[in-house]
Amino acid sequence: MGLSCFVRITQLLDQYATNALVIQDATRRGTPRAMWIANSSAAIAALAKDRDIPVFAYSRDQVRDAFGSCPNKQWLAELVAKHIPAFEQYAPTAPRKPWMSEDRRMGLFDAATLGLLFFRSLDN
């Protein structure tokens, strides 16, 4: 992760007086992630811990289990859009074909599912 990105994340953590950081667990086996993503996640988690911000990391399997073993990310995005009306306009309209790239907006839904899972865990 570039220094400017790390500085910006530091600024965001400080600006919003963050109470918790929720990230995808990129350390588990079976989670195909580029090494730079795993390293970036670890650096961000370390930054949060240095600021006494609790870090919650959820794997893809935990997300799938929490949302009823969703068959694919398209289905999960549609489910999130039903629960968060502001996201409806960003939901991909058609499932992607195997040769197509993932819709660039799917990251929004990945983040939303992590947040929803975090808040669900608070209720238990």
Side-chain angles (χ1 to χ4, degrees), residues 1 7 17-18 20 26 32 39 47 57-58 60 64 67-68 74 78 80-81 93 98 109 116 118:
M1 173 171 46
V7 168
T18 308
N39 291 340
L47 176 66
Y58 299 104
R60 288 182 180 182
R64 285 185 186 120
F67 292 95
Q74 173 75 29
E78 291 170 5
V80 168
T93 55
F109 293 94
L116 290 170
F118 169 73

Side-chain angles (χ1 to χ4, degrees), residues 5-55:
C5 182
F6 194 75
V7 168
R8 183 65 182 132
I9 291 169
T10 302
Q11 291 170 341
L12 289 170
L13 290 175
D14 294 342
Q15 179 180 353
Y16 292 104
T18 308
N19 292 323
L21 179 67
V22 181
I23 59 175
Q24 184 181 36
D25 182 356
T27 61
R28 292 192 55 203
R29 279 198 155 149
T31 302
R33 284 289 188 221
M35 184 60 73
W36 71 270
I37 293 174
N39 291 340
S40 296
S41 293
I44 293 167
L47 176 66
K49 287 181 182 179
D50 287 346
R51 288 174 156 58
D52 293 324
I53 300 169
V55 177

